[in-house]
Amino acid sequence: MLIALLIIIFLLIWSVRSERMPGPTPIPFFGNSLQIKSHPNGVLQYFVENCKRFGPVTRFWIGSKPLVMITDFDDIEILLRTLDHTKKSITYDYIKPLLGEGLVTASGKGWHSDRKMLTPAFHYDIIKRFLHIFRGRVEILLENLEEKVGGDVFDVHESAMGITLDLENERNSTYRKALKTVLRLCQDRTFNPFWRSDFVFRRSKAGSEFFQCLDIINDFSMNIINERRRQLKDADYSQLMIDENGEEMKKPFLDSMLMDGTFSDQKILDQVNTIIFAGHESIANGISFTLYNLGQNQDVQRKVYEELLMTCGRNLHHFTATNFRETKYMNMVLRETFRMYPSVPVFGRYVESDLKLKNTTITAGTSVSCFAYLSHRNPEVFPDPEVFDPERFADESRRGRHAYAQIPFSAGPRSCIGQKFALVQVKLVLGEVLRRYAILPGQKIGQIRSMFTLKPEGGIRIRVRRRSSSVVMIFTYRRGTWNS
């Protein structure tokens, strides 16, 4: 009798707090967590199916905590453009052991001051200085691809990981495996009602594995921090940071923190873990999904290759920051790839005061998530949204489109601080890969099951063929259209 009364009270509380907002029926105490966890097609597809069913504002319950998913462009803009709601949602709670108070998860004055201080470290001038380092990292991927020439399909995502981490280095490979495990367990914990308690999770087998892997990640990052600290101590930094014109250059990200004097070791560790994780995933996913799309769409690949030849000639090692601005068709390809496969499919905020959306009001104390993966597939704006079509991002096609229709790196004051770095690296990799190899169709990607970052079941599988240096391509370029 007492249990029945508690259930009734609990359901009444839900009814009042949800304000009749549409959404799947919750289970007392568990909310929708068990439904999410047990969905046969994975977490992402559970949210896709329910948001399509219930509309542009859909209410879920994560245990006793409300979570609202929004897909309308106007609503997304209202939430993301303001500084009133910058605190991250409950879906970020269980990734905080990894990212701590880094830029992704921090909030309030701490986030605002860190963001302001670190923004100059991602200036375009610094990106240009790191191009030679990026080129060195590309060689790792090219060596991996060379082994695949003429062979069967392979998971290009595994190879793309070498852009940010040297897979031939055992320590770095161990880091990569540890990060993969931590991300998987973060998602599992988010929707597992029995693991929400720190006391329970730490004593579980999964919790033990999680914190062992977290130690590996932290050791890896601290080695980077300490090595750079030693280098700065040994070098005359004032001379290192003077350019050829005798002017002082902007400081890179890690140098800025080490020399600032206000960052503790823990705070530096949080920021380094955040930047490595965010950059690692964005770059690897961007490369992998773009190569996959080029393999599946040979006509598009031909146009990208022809543009590279026209822009840079056959020696693409001279692909400069200026060239990046000239590769307009490649830009369209990347925008379309990130429309279909944004590295982070959801951006969440915690609403600390009532939020008036276009057609409803979200009550204070609610987590609200912008479901970019689904909003990018709005058929009214992107007809046949599952079809890869870079022409969607030609100038004439983009004219009049909502500014928040495609937001792969979020938007507003909490947009990704390193998105320029990521895009430059992806472009550089594509130029180097397409110079040497033709990408061939592999296997259609499987169901995407992950929620934190997109991961297709079975990987991203392509084939490669070495380009013949004797092939001469004849083409013309007139008024923005390709003819060959």
Side-chain angles (χ1 to χ4, degrees):
M1 188 69 180
L2 178 60
I3 293 176
L5 181 61
L6 289 173
I7 290 175
I8 291 172
I9 293 172
F10 207 57
L11 289 173
L12 286 172
I13 293 173
W14 259 330
S15 177
V16 171
R17 290 184 67 186
S18 63
E19 298 180 350
R20 302 182 185 277
M21 196 173 291
T25 303
I27 299 172
F29 303 106
F30 296 109
N32 300 114
S33 296
L34 297 181
Q35 302 163 18
I36 296 169
K37 190 177 185 311
S38 62
H39 193 275
N41 294 324
V43 172
L44 183 71
Q45 296 306 318
Y46 172 86
F47 285 106
V48 168
E49 291 172 15
N50 281 283
C51 287
K52 284 183 176 180
R53 176 185 174 190
F54 292 104
V57 180
T58 304
R59 182 264 306 132
F60 302 88
W61 289 90
I62 309 302
S64 61
K65 297 180 180 180
L67 169 66
V68 174
M69 287 279 195
I70 58 176
T71 57
D72 180 86
F73 302 144
D74 289 329
D75 288 342
I76 290 173
E77 181 178 16
I78 289 169
L79 178 65
L80 294 185
R81 72 184 178 188
T82 178
L83 278 168
D84 295 334
H85 305 289
T86 58
K87 185 177 180 179
K88 290 303 182 76
S89 68
I90 59 172
T91 53
Y92 291 77
D93 286 353
Y94 301 115
I95 202 170
K96 287 199 78 170
L98 169 63
L99 305 183
E101 293 299 316
L103 287 176
V104 168
T105 47
S107 59
K109 292 181 179 179
W111 163 78
H112 189 269
S113 61
D114 288 353
R115 173 90 183 201
K116 184 177 180 180
M117 184 264 177
L118 292 173
T119 293
F122 293 88
H123 192 274
Y124 204 77
D125 289 343
I126 292 180
I127 298 176
K128 290 189 289 186
R129 281 164 36 207
F130 278 86
L131 283 179
H132 70 286
I133 297 176
F134 297 162
R135 289 194 181 95
R137 306 308 300 158
V138 174
E139 291 299 322
I140 298 170
L141 175 59
L142 296 177
E143 290 171 9
N144 288 335
L145 294 183
E146 184 63 27
E147 296 175 359
K148 311 294 185 183
V149 169
D152 202 352
V153 296
F154 65 96
D155 185 359
V156 69
H157 190 268
E158 289 296 311
S159 297
M161 292 294 185
I163 295 301
T164 49
L165 297 171
D166 182 359
L167 296 185
E168 301 304 318
N169 182 299
E170 182 177 352
R171 181 176 178 81
N172 294 357
S173 182
T174 300
Y175 170 90
R176 179 177 60 84
K177 293 174 183 176
L179 180 60
K180 186 176 181 179
T181 298
V182 163
L183 292 178
R184 172 177 57 81
L185 291 174
C186 281
Q187 175 168 290
D188 289 348
R189 189 182 179 194
T190 301
F191 303 110
N192 187 326
F194 303 104
W195 284 354
R196 291 203 188 99
S197 164
D198 286 338
F199 181 85
V200 173
F201 183 66
R202 284 181 175 275
R203 287 158 178 78
S204 67
K205 182 178 179 181
S208 176
E209 183 181 19
F210 177 89
F211 286 104
Q212 287 176 10
C213 289
L214 190 60
D215 286 341
I216 292 171
I217 292 169
N218 287 338
D219 287 345
F220 179 90
S221 296
M222 280 308 303
N223 279 339
I224 293 174
I225 293 167
N226 290 331
E227 175 61 19
R228 186 55 182 167
R229 181 180 279 133
R230 183 191 62 77
Q231 292 172 354
L232 293 178
K233 184 178 180 181
D234 293 344
D236 185 349
Y237 196 81
S238 61
Q239 293 302 312
L240 290 176
M241 297 305 293
I242 301 297
D243 65 17
E244 62 272 16
N245 298 319
E247 298 180 359
E248 185 177 357
M249 296 186 290
K250 296 180 183 296
K251 297 183 182 69
F253 158 74
L254 183 54
D255 293 3
S256 296
M257 291 189 296
L258 289 172
M259 301 186 70
D260 180 76
T262 63
F263 286 82
S264 65
D265 278 0
Q266 182 60 53
K267 202 168 185 180
I268 295 173
L269 176 63
D270 291 345
Q271 300 292 8
V272 169
N273 278 343
T274 296
I275 295 300
I276 292 178
F277 156 69
H280 182 68
E281 290 293 313
S282 296
I283 294 164
N285 277 12
I287 293 166
S288 304
F289 282 115
T290 303
L291 291 177
Y292 167 81
N293 281 332
L294 293 178
Q296 295 291 326
N297 299 272
Q298 292 293 306
D299 58 329
V300 173
Q301 182 177 170
R302 174 180 57 81
K303 292 179 182 179
V304 174
Y305 182 59
E306 290 173 348
E307 181 182 59
L308 287 168
L309 290 178
M310 186 181 70
T311 304
C312 311
R314 289 199 171 275
N315 188 359
L316 295 182
H317 272 295
H318 295 296
F319 202 45
T320 66
T322 301
N323 297 140
F324 291 144
R325 299 188 184 95
E326 297 172 356
T327 51
K328 293 183 178 180
Y329 190 72
M330 183 189 285
N331 289 342
M332 292 160 57
V333 168
L334 289 178
R335 287 192 179 104
E336 174 68 349
T337 296
F338 280 115
R339 178 194 69 81
M340 297 183 71
Y341 307 111
S343 291
V344 180
V346 176
F347 309 106
R349 301 288 185 269
Y350 181 78
V351 176
E352 297 183 277
S353 58
D354 288 358
L355 174 67
K356 179 71 171 67
L357 298 181
K358 192 165 63 174
N359 295 315
T360 191
T361 297
I362 306 294
T363 306
T366 302
S367 287
V368 184
S369 288
C370 306
F371 200 177
Y373 180 84
L374 189 55
S375 68
H376 287 185
R377 284 167 163 73
N378 184 330
E380 294 182 7
V381 179
F382 302 110
D384 297 319
E386 298 299 331
V387 173
F388 177 74
D389 180 13
E391 295 300 329
R392 301 181 200 273
F393 292 94
D395 289 343
E396 59 272 19
S397 298
R398 295 171 61 195
R399 194 169 294 119
R401 185 179 295 162
H402 198 291
Y404 282 66
Q406 191 239 17
I407 50 169
F409 295 97
S410 189
R414 292 212 70 154
S415 62
C416 175
I417 195 173
Q419 59 182 284
K420 288 182 180 178
F421 260 87
L423 289 172
V424 165
Q425 291 191 64
V426 173
K427 281 188 175 184
L428 181 63
V429 171
L430 291 178
E432 290 294 324
V433 169
L434 293 176
R435 180 174 69 91
R436 299 190 191 186
Y437 304 104
I439 310 303
L440 306 177
Q443 295 176 351
K444 292 283 187 179
I445 61 173
Q447 192 76 262
I448 297 177
R449 306 177 69 89
S450 178
M451 195 69 179
F452 280 167
T453 58
L454 295 188
K455 294 288 189 299
E457 192 171 27
I460 305 174
R461 299 188 173 277
I462 64 170
R463 294 180 296 127
V464 295
R465 171 176 56 80
R466 192 181 300 109
R467 292 190 187 276
S468 171
S469 59
S470 62
V471 172
V472 178
M473 301 189 67
I474 303 173
F475 59 90
T476 60
Y477 184 73
R478 294 191 183 97
R479 297 188 180 181
T481 58
W482 290 94
N483 302 285
S484 59

